[in-house]
Amino acid sequence: MARKRRKIGEILRQAGKINDQQLNEALNVAKGSRQRVGEALVELKYCSETDVAQALAYQFEMDYVDPEKQDVVDKQAFELLPLDFVKKFLVLPIKKEGNKLKVAIHDPNDLETLDNLRFRVSMEIVTVVAARGKIKAYLDGMLSETRASIDQAVRAMSMDMSDEEAAAQLGATMDVSIDMDAAEGDDQAPVIRLAGQIINEAVNSGASDIHIEPFADRVRLRYRIDGVCQERDRLPKRVQAALTARMKIMSGMKIEEKRIPQDGRIKKKVGEQTIDFRVSACPTYHGESIVLRILRPESARIGLVNLGMREDTKQLFETIIRRPNGIFLVTGPTGSGKTTTLYTALDVLNRPDKKIITAEDPVEFSFKGINQCQVNTQIGLTFANILRAMLRQAPNIILVGEIRDKEVGEVAIQAALTGHLVFSTLHTNDAPSAITRLVDMGIKPFLVASSIQAILAQRLVRLLCPKCKQPETEPNHRLMRLCNITKEDLQEKVIYKAVGCAHCRKTGYKGRQGIYELMILNHEIRELAFNRAPLNKIRQAAINTGMRNLLGDGRLKILDGMTTMEELATITQAEGVVAMEEEEENAVA
């Protein structure tokens, strides 16, 4: 037989925390204000929140925890629930053990919170009791921890600092700026701490870019995470001059030059890694816009398996990159992962029996065993000149950062025809378009047809967060049409939707992978290229020989539960979306 649950007032009275008079007064206050007895006792200051929480734990036969004690809360467990949820319901995930998540709550009678907890987390919930004030204090500390260091640095900076004052202050700290591995301690200038904290936070957040953008009354700080810009903060206008000057000094730019764009580079140790940052300063109406591209060493060596290619595409890719000669092109817009794909191929081929030379603008990652040349147009060191010099170095493999014009294209083709394997990139929307693009540059069609071995088009799609993704129960029929997903597909496969949690910063996505379109040039496609055939005929010939287009590769990722229809439609179906909207408007009219 279950033990009869005692009332909270009786438990506190028996424990000696309150007397009969205090209990009776609290009961009257609770009745008049529709409060609970425990809340009334705390309000009357007859006992503390901790006393009430411990009494509740005893009443419901639960454990009591104190979040303020060291090592009570596991920060990995804390990330299993969305930030908006823990703030709304004042709950605190404290420990994960197997398939069980221990969560601190302040009111065991709150059945709505308990139901929401079970719904949010696909694991068994074990509840313990903590004082409401202590849960709130801990959450406030956790949620402000990431902002505190940057905010402190901003507040510490001068309220009124002109460009000249910023330059003078930074000039006095040039010796500190030179050593980028120096600790950014509290004894350094506020602007130095601010710049360091911004860089550290962006790297730890998994960002690929840092954007510092001046406006009329503020400076917007944004991080690009998984290809999407997310606003981090709005800094006061007064920090603009000092922060801009600091970033320019760190990257080796001229701080007094504000009229023309400048490029620079920073090498900085963040945690245990030494990371390169490619920096660009561009004059705008309200000041100089600064963008730092974060070049992570591990991103260029992710391995073929992690590129996201399906097994059949990966096998063809490996076969092509091991051919003795010819051109292999990777196409796609800026930020589509072309360089990572080519670096991954070079990493596979980088062996002592191969000589590899690259011409890049700029050199983003340094590889052991590979000769890398940086383009410098100011002294005439162009892609074409480096390529001609490369051919006298007897290489096996050549990488050209980008085929930008007829001259570079012709030299690359000559290199391929004389027994070298050439890798390069091109800015086109799909693989078949690369052929017509090269011909439009002025390269003779017979050279294009005879030298190119294969063309790989790619995009990056965001992957669903594994911690919060949920099955899509009501799929959008318009998106299904755009992504070529049928009702029969939904009977065999489960597709998912993005939800959002603390783990993915409420975006619903975590990480990215490529979708690919690999076109291998066979006799038919070479003949079409030689005869300057229209693009649609080249594309149809490639599909007839087994090419899976970008949409088809993304569709398989949706059916595998890796991404969403919304993401694929955004990446690959811009033209299709417009056409379908026009079709629907005409139908309504």
Side-chain angles (χ1 to χ4, degrees), residues 252-287:
M253 299 180 193
K254 298 177 181 178
I255 61 171
E256 70 278 5
E257 181 57 77
K258 303 179 178 68
R259 301 165 300 169
I260 60 175
Q262 295 186 73
D263 293 315
R265 201 156 188 146
I266 299 172
K267 185 183 286 289
K268 188 176 187 300
K269 190 167 185 180
V270 179
E272 298 300 319
Q273 285 185 315
T274 299
I275 296 178
D276 281 330
F277 300 82
R278 199 171 74 205
V279 188
S280 171
C282 181
T284 67
Y285 186 75
H286 294 292

Side-chain angles (χ1 to χ4, degrees), residues 40-314:
L41 286 167
V42 173
E43 186 178 294
L44 292 168
K45 298 183 179 179
Y46 290 153
C47 60
S48 66
E49 271 193 339
T50 300
D51 294 332
V52 174
Q54 289 174 339
L56 281 170
Y58 179 81
Q59 184 185 32
F60 285 88
E61 299 183 17
M62 298 166 63
D63 291 334
Y64 169 81
V65 296
D66 184 355
E68 294 180 350
K69 289 187 177 179
Q70 192 173 7
D71 299 330
V72 168
V73 180
D74 183 350
K75 292 190 177 181
Q76 290 183 344
F78 181 82
E79 295 176 351
L80 294 176
L81 284 174
L83 293 178
D84 58 343
F85 181 87
V86 298
K87 287 192 292 184
K88 179 180 178 181
F89 293 100
L90 278 181
V91 296
L92 182 61
I94 58 176
K95 193 172 185 180
K96 181 179 179 295
E97 295 176 337
N99 196 42
K100 294 182 179 180
L101 178 64
K102 185 181 289 187
V103 181
I105 60 176
H106 61 88
D107 184 4
N109 283 309
D110 190 348
L111 299 181
E112 180 189 358
T113 297
L114 297 175
D115 288 341
N116 273 290
L117 272 172
R118 296 186 182 97
F119 176 76
R120 285 278 184 168
V121 182
S122 57
M123 59 180 70
E124 185 181 344
I125 299 295
V126 178
T127 52
V128 295
V129 179
R132 185 181 187 278
K134 291 193 175 184
I135 293 178
K136 189 176 186 305
Y138 186 90
L139 291 177
D140 289 344
M142 281 292 295
L143 297 172
S144 63
E145 186 176 324
T146 56
R147 293 181 173 270
S149 53
I150 290 180
D151 293 342
Q152 287 172 3
V154 171
R155 286 195 299 270
M157 293 182 67
S158 172
M159 295 295 291
D160 296 297
M161 184 177 290
S162 65
D163 293 356
E164 291 75 16
E165 290 169 329
Q169 177 189 351
L170 289 160
T173 59
M174 279 290 288
D175 55 330
V176 181
S177 302
I178 293 170
D179 183 8
M180 297 314 304
D181 289 335
E184 283 145 1
D186 292 337
D187 57 333
Q188 291 187 333
V191 63
I192 295 178
R193 294 203 306 273
L194 174 60
Q197 292 290 352
I198 288 173
I199 289 173
N200 291 347
E201 184 183 59
V203 171
N204 294 331
S205 299
S208 61
D209 302 272
I210 303 170
H211 297 260
I212 302 170
E213 303 161 316
F215 292 94
D217 58 347
R218 60 188 172 89
V219 178
R220 182 169 66 179
L221 173 63
R222 295 194 294 174
Y223 301 151
R224 188 182 295 277
I225 301 174
D226 291 336
V228 178
C229 279
Q230 299 178 15
E231 186 168 313
R232 163 59 177 85
D233 211 342
R234 297 186 178 191
L235 304 175
K237 186 70 175 176
R238 63 179 178 272
V239 310
Q240 177 181 328
L243 182 59
T244 300
R246 171 62 181 168
M247 290 297 185
K248 291 171 74 173
I249 284 177
M250 291 172 72
S251 54
M253 299 180 193
K254 298 177 181 178
I255 61 171
E256 70 278 5
E257 181 57 77
K258 303 179 178 68
R259 301 165 300 169
I260 60 175
Q262 295 186 73
D263 293 315
R265 201 156 188 146
I266 299 172
K267 185 183 286 289
K268 188 176 187 300
K269 190 167 185 180
V270 179
E272 298 300 319
Q273 285 185 315
T274 299
I275 296 178
D276 281 330
F277 300 82
R278 199 171 74 205
V279 188
S280 171
C282 181
T284 67
Y285 186 75
H286 294 292
E288 289 177 284
S289 173
I290 306 290
V291 177
L292 289 80
R293 168 67 61 88
I294 303 173
L295 306 175
R296 303 172 189 273
E298 71 277 6
S299 65
R301 297 179 175 86
I302 63 175
L304 285 176
V305 175
N306 297 317
L307 286 176
M309 292 181 182
R310 303 194 75 80
E311 189 59 33
D312 55 347
T313 305
K314 184 165 75 73

Side-chain angles (χ1 to χ4, degrees), residues 497-517:
K497 64 181 178 180
V499 178
C501 65
H503 181 67
C504 60
R505 295 174 175 266
K506 294 189 244 185
T507 63
Y509 298 93
K510 188 73 173 177
R512 290 190 293 174
Q513 272 193 356
I515 55 174
Y516 300 94
E517 176 178 287

Side-chain angles (χ1 to χ4, degrees), residues 53 92 137 141 150 195 222 236 274 325 328 341 389 467 519 527 531 544:
L92 182 61
I150 290 180
R222 295 194 294 174
T274 299
N325 55 53
F328 176 53
T341 299
K467 296 185 182 297
M519 183 178 80
E527 189 73 23
N531 292 320
N544 292 341

